[in-house]
Coordinates of all heavy atoms in Angstrom, one line a residue:
Chain A
N103 N -40.7 -3.7 17.1 CA -41.6 -3.6 18.2 C -42.5 -2.4 18.2 O -42.6 -1.7 19.2 CB -40.9 -3.6 19.6 CG -40.2 -4.9 19.8 OD1 -40.5 -5.9 19.2 ND2 -39.3 -5.0 20.8
W104 N -43.1 -2.1 17.1 CA -44.1 -1.0 17.0 C -45.3 -1.3 17.9 O -45.8 -2.4 18.0 CB -44.6 -0.8 15.6 CG -43.7 0.0 14.8 CD1 -42.8 -0.5 13.9 CD2 -43.6 1.4 14.8 NE1 -42.1 0.6 13.3 CE2 -42.6 1.7 13.8 CE3 -44.2 2.4 15.5 CZ2 -42.2 3.0 13.6 CZ3 -43.8 3.7 15.2 CH2 -42.8 4.0 14.3
S105 N -45.7 -0.3 18.6 CA -46.9 -0.4 19.4 C -48.1 -0.4 18.5 O -48.0 0.1 17.4 CB -47.0 0.7 20.4 OG -47.2 2.0 19.7
P106 N -49.2 -1.0 18.9 CA -50.4 -1.0 18.0 C -50.8 0.4 17.6 O -51.3 0.6 16.5 CB -51.5 -1.7 18.9 CG -50.7 -2.5 19.9 CD -49.4 -1.7 20.2
A107 N -50.7 1.3 18.5 CA -51.1 2.7 18.1 C -50.1 3.4 17.3 O -50.3 4.5 16.8 CB -51.3 3.5 19.4
G108 N -48.9 2.8 17.0 CA -47.9 3.4 16.2 C -47.2 4.6 16.9 O -46.6 5.4 16.2
D109 N -47.2 4.6 18.2 CA -46.6 5.7 18.9 C -45.3 5.3 19.7 O -44.7 6.1 20.4 CB -47.6 6.4 19.8 CG -48.1 5.5 20.9 OD1 -47.9 4.3 20.8 OD2 -48.7 6.0 21.8
E110 N -45.0 4.1 19.5 CA -43.7 3.6 20.2 C -43.0 2.6 19.3 O -43.7 1.8 18.6 CB -44.1 2.9 21.5 CG -44.4 3.8 22.6 CD -44.5 3.0 23.9 OE1 -43.6 2.1 24.2 OE2 -45.5 3.2 24.7
F111 N -41.7 2.7 19.3 CA -40.9 1.7 18.6 C -39.6 1.5 19.3 O -39.2 2.3 20.1 CB -40.8 2.1 17.1 CG -39.9 3.3 16.9 CD1 -38.5 3.2 16.7 CD2 -40.5 4.6 16.9 CE1 -37.7 4.3 16.5 CE2 -39.7 5.7 16.7 CZ -38.3 5.6 16.5
S112 N -38.9 0.5 18.8 CA -37.5 0.2 19.4 C -36.5 0.3 18.3 O -36.7 -0.1 17.2 CB -37.5 -1.1 20.0 OG -38.2 -1.2 21.2
L113 N -35.4 0.9 18.7 CA -34.2 0.8 17.8 C -33.3 -0.2 18.4 O -33.0 -0.2 19.6 CB -33.5 2.2 17.8 CG -34.2 3.4 17.2 CD1 -33.6 4.7 17.6 CD2 -34.2 3.2 15.7
I114 N -32.9 -1.2 17.6 CA -32.0 -2.2 18.1 C -30.6 -2.1 17.5 O -30.4 -2.0 16.3 CB -32.5 -3.6 17.7 CG1 -34.0 -3.8 18.1 CG2 -31.7 -4.7 18.3 CD1 -34.3 -4.0 19.5
L115 N -29.6 -2.0 18.4 CA -28.2 -1.9 18.0 C -27.5 -3.1 18.5 O -27.7 -3.5 19.6 CB -27.6 -0.6 18.5 CG -28.2 0.7 18.2 CD1 -29.1 1.2 19.3 CD2 -27.2 1.7 17.9
E116 N -26.5 -3.5 17.7 CA -25.7 -4.7 18.2 C -24.9 -4.3 19.4 O -24.6 -5.1 20.3 CB -24.8 -5.2 17.1 CG -25.5 -6.2 16.2 CD -24.7 -6.5 15.0 OE1 -23.5 -6.4 15.1 OE2 -25.3 -7.0 14.0
N117 N -24.4 -3.1 19.4 CA -23.5 -2.6 20.5 C -24.0 -1.3 21.0 O -24.8 -0.6 20.3 CB -22.1 -2.5 20.1 CG -21.5 -3.8 19.6 OD1 -21.4 -4.7 20.3 ND2 -21.2 -3.8 18.3
N118 N -23.5 -0.8 22.1 CA -23.8 0.5 22.5 C -22.8 1.4 21.7 O -21.6 1.2 21.9 CB -23.6 0.7 24.0 CG -24.0 2.1 24.5 OD1 -23.6 3.1 23.9 ND2 -24.7 2.1 25.6
P119 N -23.3 2.3 20.9 CA -22.4 3.0 20.0 C -21.4 4.0 20.6 O -20.5 4.4 20.0 CB -23.4 3.7 19.0 CG -24.6 3.9 19.8 CD -24.7 2.7 20.7
L120 N -21.6 4.3 21.8 CA -20.8 5.3 22.5 C -19.6 4.7 23.2 O -18.8 5.4 23.7 CB -21.6 6.1 23.4 CG -22.7 6.9 22.8 CD1 -23.5 7.7 23.9 CD2 -22.2 7.9 21.8
V121 N -19.5 3.4 23.2 CA -18.5 2.9 24.1 C -17.4 2.0 23.5 O -16.9 1.1 24.2 CB -19.1 2.1 25.3 CG1 -19.9 3.1 26.1 CG2 -20.0 1.0 24.8
D122 N -17.1 2.2 22.3 CA -16.0 1.4 21.7 C -14.7 1.8 22.4 O -14.5 3.0 22.7 CB -15.8 1.7 20.3 CG -17.0 1.1 19.5 OD1 -17.6 0.2 19.9 OD2 -17.2 1.6 18.3
F123 N -13.8 0.9 22.7 CA -12.5 1.2 23.2 C -12.5 1.9 24.5 O -11.5 2.5 24.9 CB -11.7 2.1 22.2 CG -11.8 1.6 20.8 CD1 -12.5 2.3 19.9 CD2 -11.3 0.4 20.4 CE1 -12.6 1.9 18.6 CE2 -11.4 -0.1 19.1 CZ -12.1 0.7 18.2
V124 N -13.6 1.9 25.3 CA -13.6 2.7 26.5 C -13.7 1.7 27.7 O -14.5 0.8 27.6 CB -14.7 3.7 26.5 CG1 -14.8 4.3 27.9 CG2 -14.5 4.8 25.5
E125 N -12.9 1.9 28.7 CA -13.1 1.1 29.9 C -14.0 1.9 30.8 O -13.7 3.1 31.2 CB -11.8 0.9 30.6 CG -11.0 -0.2 30.0 CD -9.5 -0.1 30.4 OE1 -9.3 0.3 31.6 OE2 -8.6 -0.4 29.6
L126 N -15.1 1.3 31.3 CA -16.0 2.0 32.1 C -15.4 2.0 33.6 O -14.9 1.1 34.0 CB -17.3 1.3 32.1 CG -18.1 1.4 30.8 CD1 -19.4 0.7 30.9 CD2 -18.4 2.9 30.5
P127 N -15.6 3.2 34.2 CA -15.2 3.2 35.6 C -16.1 2.2 36.4 O -17.3 2.0 36.0 CB -15.6 4.6 36.1 CG -15.8 5.4 34.8 CD -16.1 4.4 33.8
D128 N -15.6 1.6 37.4 CA -16.3 0.6 38.1 C -17.6 1.1 38.6 O -17.7 2.2 39.2 CB -15.5 0.1 39.3 CG -14.3 -0.8 38.8 OD1 -14.4 -1.3 37.8 OD2 -13.3 -0.8 39.6
N129 N -18.7 0.4 38.5 CA -20.0 0.7 39.1 C -20.7 1.9 38.4 O -21.9 2.1 38.8 CB -19.9 1.0 40.6 CG -19.2 0.0 41.4 OD1 -19.4 -1.2 41.1 ND2 -18.3 0.4 42.3
H130 N -20.1 2.6 37.6 CA -20.8 3.7 37.0 C -20.8 3.5 35.5 O -19.9 4.0 34.9 CB -20.1 5.1 37.4 CG -19.8 5.2 38.8 ND1 -20.8 5.2 39.7 CD2 -18.6 5.3 39.4 CE1 -20.2 5.3 40.9 NE2 -18.9 5.4 40.8
S131 N -21.8 2.9 35.0 CA -21.6 2.5 33.7 C -22.7 2.9 32.7 O -22.8 4.1 32.3 CB -21.4 1.0 33.6 OG -22.4 0.3 34.3
S132 N -23.5 2.0 32.3 CA -24.2 2.2 31.1 C -25.3 3.4 31.2 O -25.5 4.1 30.3 CB -25.0 1.0 30.7 OG -25.7 0.5 31.9
L133 N -25.8 3.5 32.4 CA -26.8 4.6 32.6 C -26.2 5.9 32.1 O -26.9 6.7 31.5 CB -27.1 4.8 34.1 CG -28.2 3.9 34.7 CD1 -28.4 4.3 36.1 CD2 -29.5 4.1 33.9
I134 N -25.0 6.2 32.5 CA -24.4 7.5 32.2 C -24.3 7.6 30.7 O -24.6 8.6 30.1 CB -23.1 7.6 32.8 CG1 -23.2 7.4 34.3 CG2 -22.4 8.9 32.5 CD1 -22.0 7.1 35.1
Y135 N -23.7 6.6 30.0 CA -23.5 6.6 28.6 C -24.8 6.7 27.9 O -24.9 7.5 27.0 CB -22.8 5.3 28.2 CG -21.3 5.5 28.3 CD1 -20.7 5.3 29.5 CD2 -20.6 5.9 27.3 CE1 -19.4 5.4 29.7 CE2 -19.2 6.1 27.4 CZ -18.6 5.9 28.6 OH -17.3 6.0 28.8
S136 N -25.8 6.0 28.2 CA -27.0 6.0 27.5 C -27.7 7.3 27.6 O -28.4 7.7 26.6 CB -28.0 4.9 27.9 OG -27.8 4.5 29.2
N137 N -27.6 7.9 28.7 CA -28.4 9.1 28.9 C -28.0 10.3 28.0 O -28.8 11.1 27.7 CB -28.4 9.6 30.4 CG -29.8 9.9 30.8 OD1 -30.8 9.5 30.2 ND2 -29.9 10.7 31.9
L138 N -26.8 10.3 27.6 CA -26.4 11.4 26.6 C -27.2 11.2 25.3 O -27.7 12.1 24.8 CB -24.9 11.3 26.3 CG -24.4 12.5 25.5 CD1 -24.0 13.7 26.3 CD2 -23.3 12.1 24.6
L139 N -27.2 10.0 24.8 CA -27.9 9.7 23.6 C -29.4 10.0 23.7 O -30.0 10.5 22.8 CB -27.6 8.2 23.2 CG -28.0 7.8 21.8 CD1 -27.6 8.8 20.7 CD2 -27.4 6.4 21.5
C140 N -30.0 9.6 24.8 CA -31.4 9.9 25.0 C -31.7 11.4 24.9 O -32.6 11.9 24.4 CB -31.9 9.3 26.3 SG -31.8 7.5 26.4
G141 N -30.7 12.2 25.6 CA -30.9 13.6 25.5 C -30.8 14.1 24.1 O -31.5 15.0 23.7
V142 N -29.8 13.6 23.4 CA -29.6 14.1 22.0 C -30.9 13.8 21.2 O -31.4 14.7 20.5 CB -28.5 13.3 21.3 CG1 -28.4 13.7 19.8 CG2 -27.2 13.7 22.0
L143 N -31.5 12.6 21.3 CA -32.7 12.3 20.6 C -33.8 13.2 21.0 O -34.6 13.8 20.1 CB -33.1 10.8 20.8 CG -32.2 9.8 20.1 CD1 -32.4 8.4 20.7 CD2 -32.5 9.8 18.6
R144 N -34.0 13.4 22.2 CA -35.1 14.3 22.7 C -34.9 15.7 22.2 O -35.9 16.4 21.7 CB -35.1 14.3 24.2 CG -36.2 15.2 24.7 CD -36.9 14.8 25.9 NE -38.0 15.8 26.2 CZ -39.1 15.6 26.7 NH1 -39.4 14.4 27.2 NH2 -40.0 16.5 26.9
G145 N -33.7 16.3 22.4 CA -33.4 17.7 22.0 C -33.6 17.9 20.5 O -34.2 18.8 20.0
A146 N -33.1 16.9 19.7 CA -33.2 17.1 18.2 C -34.7 17.0 17.8 O -35.1 17.9 17.0 CB -32.4 16.0 17.6
L147 N -35.4 16.1 18.3 CA -36.8 15.9 17.9 C -37.7 17.1 18.4 O -38.6 17.5 17.7 CB -37.4 14.6 18.3 CG -36.7 13.4 17.5 CD1 -37.1 12.1 18.1 CD2 -37.2 13.5 16.1
E148 N -37.3 17.6 19.5 CA -38.1 18.8 20.0 C -38.0 20.0 19.1 O -39.0 20.7 18.9 CB -37.6 19.2 21.4 CG -38.6 20.0 22.2 CD -38.3 20.0 23.6 OE1 -38.4 19.0 24.3 OE2 -37.9 21.1 24.1
M149 N -36.8 20.1 18.4 CA -36.7 21.2 17.5 C -37.5 21.0 16.2 O -37.6 22.0 15.4 CB -35.2 21.3 17.1 CG -34.3 21.8 18.2 SD -34.8 23.4 18.9 CE -35.5 23.0 20.5
V150 N -37.9 19.8 16.0 CA -38.8 19.6 14.8 C -40.2 19.3 15.3 O -41.0 18.5 14.8 CB -38.3 18.5 13.8 CG1 -37.1 19.1 13.0 CG2 -37.9 17.2 14.5
Q151 N -40.5 19.9 16.4 CA -41.9 19.9 16.9 C -42.4 18.6 17.5 O -43.6 18.3 17.5 CB -42.9 20.4 15.9 CG -43.1 21.9 16.0 CD -41.9 22.7 15.6 OE1 -41.3 22.5 14.5 NE2 -41.5 23.6 16.5
M152 N -41.5 17.7 17.9 CA -42.0 16.4 18.4 C -41.5 16.2 19.9 O -40.3 16.3 20.1 CB -41.5 15.3 17.6 CG -42.4 14.9 16.5 SD -41.7 13.5 15.6 CE -40.7 14.3 14.4
A153 N -42.4 16.0 20.8 CA -42.0 15.7 22.2 C -42.0 14.2 22.3 O -42.9 13.5 22.0 CB -43.0 16.3 23.2
V154 N -40.8 13.7 22.5 CA -40.6 12.2 22.6 C -39.9 11.8 23.9 O -39.2 12.6 24.5 CB -39.8 11.6 21.4 CG1 -40.5 12.0 20.1 CG2 -38.4 12.1 21.5
E155 N -40.1 10.6 24.2 CA -39.3 10.0 25.3 C -38.4 8.9 24.7 O -38.8 8.1 23.9 CB -40.2 9.3 26.4 CG -39.4 8.8 27.5 CD -40.3 7.9 28.4 OE1 -41.0 7.0 27.9 OE2 -40.3 8.1 29.6
A156 N -37.1 9.0 25.1 CA -36.2 8.0 24.6 C -35.5 7.3 25.8 O -35.1 8.0 26.7 CB -35.1 8.6 23.7
K157 N -35.5 6.0 25.9 CA -34.8 5.4 27.0 C -34.2 4.0 26.6 O -34.7 3.3 25.7 CB -35.7 5.2 28.2 CG -36.9 4.4 28.0 CD -37.7 4.3 29.3 CE -38.9 3.4 29.0 NZ -39.9 3.5 30.1
F158 N -33.1 3.7 27.2 CA -32.5 2.4 27.0 C -33.2 1.3 27.7 O -33.3 1.4 29.0 CB -31.0 2.5 27.4 CG -30.1 3.0 26.4 CD1 -30.4 4.2 25.7 CD2 -28.9 2.4 26.0 CE1 -29.5 4.8 24.8 CE2 -28.0 2.9 25.1 CZ -28.4 4.1 24.5

Side-chain angles (χ1 to χ4, degrees):
Chain A
N103 292 350
W104 277 100
S105 63
D109 62 347
E110 284 189 43
F111 66 92
S112 288
L113 293 164
I114 309 284
L115 302 99
E116 273 172 24
N117 300 294
N118 187 315
L120 297 180
V121 294
D122 293 337
F123 315 110
V124 171
E125 280 164 33
L126 292 178
D128 291 333
N129 307 321
H130 311 296
S131 50
S132 53
L133 272 184
I134 301 161
Y135 275 84
S136 28
N137 225 20
L138 185 90
L139 190 47
C140 294
V142 173
L143 287 164
R144 175 146 187 151
L147 288 169
E148 200 165 292
M149 291 301 110
V150 288
Q151 269 68 53
M152 272 183 268
V154 302
E155 182 192 51
K157 59 181 185 192
F158 275 49

